[in-house]
Amino acid sequence: MAIDPGVLTQITEHYDKDLYQILFEDGKETSPLLACCEVKAEKEGLGRKFIQRVTTFEGAAVAADPSIADAIAADGAAGGRPTRQRWEINAVSMDSTFKFDREEILAIEGMRADEQFDVITEEMDMAALRIRNMLAEQVSGKGWGKLAVTTAQSTTGFTVNPAFTNRFPVGARLVASVSEDTDVLLGSSAQLRVIAADPATGVITVSGNPVTTWASSAVLYIFRAGMRLSLDPNGDESLKTSLTGVAGWINPTGGTMFGINRTGDPNLTGFAIDCTGLDTSQALSAMADQMFSYGRKLDTIFISGTSWKLLQNDYDASKVVKVDLGDYKIGFDGYKLATVFGSAVVIPDPYLAPGEAYGGPFQNKKWRPRLLHSGAKLVNLDNFDGKDFERVTTSGARQFKGQFFFRGQMCIAGPGMYIKASNLPTS
């Protein structure tokens, strides 16, 4: 046998006991937004949905006249008392494959058991980390899997805001549409592969001509292949195949989400502030001031990398502080912002869009975002049949492959504790 039987047993134990260390040992690569999320195992109810109670403010049922207070509490209108509504949240799935050719298995035959273990787990660890990286990217999004919107096209690629080039790793397969949450994927869901990404210019070079492949010279919405429905989803939340991140949960424009019509109720959509005309530091203070007027405290404000650069021009470097986020106490750098509720920490997230910021109780155990998962762990080795590897035939060649998976969804039970700022300076 090419692989020592003891190594196979050790591999199973390794991912059973050490998976979270593997996912988060490299610290800041996790992304601070992901680090803030409470990782919580939750049952879907026989594969249906996650059920999470909506959390809102105290309610309006108070008056000098007790009959009026009673009437407000009993009439069932929104805001009378703390809501009894619930989010019925659709889970999404991610799979990440690892594989070995037969020749690779034969090459490690005769190695010591610890050497075999290192070779095999290095490949497997990378598969688990790919899911971690995808979660880090998607916790900032709306849930439709959008990577960026094009600003130009050519026969060899397209151009996006340079801040988004970190979403286009070499080898990624891309699809496109003319809108984010409506319309079909173009070119019968034809895929193009990323060959290069220039962070200075925002030019993404791909494996074909996007104009002819996707049969459109219009502004394009770009997605990873497999992360957006090929048919027209028509804005239907149940058809999402990506995480609904902060941009989806804290969305003051409203609309229906996971069974609840949120339009017009900031307790369900989150609050909004337009920062046009303000510099970066003024905009962040305005976020905290607005939430103070509603009696809601911000402990953290997440900004884009673009805003972080501009903030460094406004703030003294001595105000940079170290902050440990989440259950795994991952350390990040942030600016200490004085607010009327005390200090808040301003932290850049690599996947937030330039010009936007989100503030709220991201570190509060009651109000912080949750990353719900229906597997035993956040990321799971798909070995329910007792086999870590399966033998497959690909064009006559024998391969041994397996996969990790994530099934779950992000949830912010009380969006009304948060605020979204738009139109921050970008230069």
Side-chain angles (χ1 to χ4, degrees), residues 9 115 279:
T9 300
E115 293 175 323
D279 66 28

Side-chain angles (χ1 to χ4, degrees), residues 156-180:
T156 59
F158 52 83
T159 304
V160 300
N161 186 316
F164 295 135
T165 54
N166 61 345
R167 305 179 182 195
F168 293 90
V170 171
R173 270 60 171 180
L174 308 177
V175 293
S177 181
V178 293
S179 66
E180 182 173 14

Side-chain angles (χ1 to χ4, degrees), residues 143-144 175-190 221 223-241:
W144 299 106
V175 293
S177 181
V178 293
S179 66
E180 182 173 14
D181 58 357
T182 57
D183 296 295
V184 300
L185 294 182
L186 298 171
S188 300
S189 305
Y221 289 74
F223 308 85
R224 284 182 186 266
M227 290 297 180
R228 203 270 207 177
L229 190 70
S230 59
L231 302 176
D232 181 354
N234 196 30
D236 186 345
E237 297 280 339
S238 67
L239 298 178
K240 285 182 174 180
T241 55

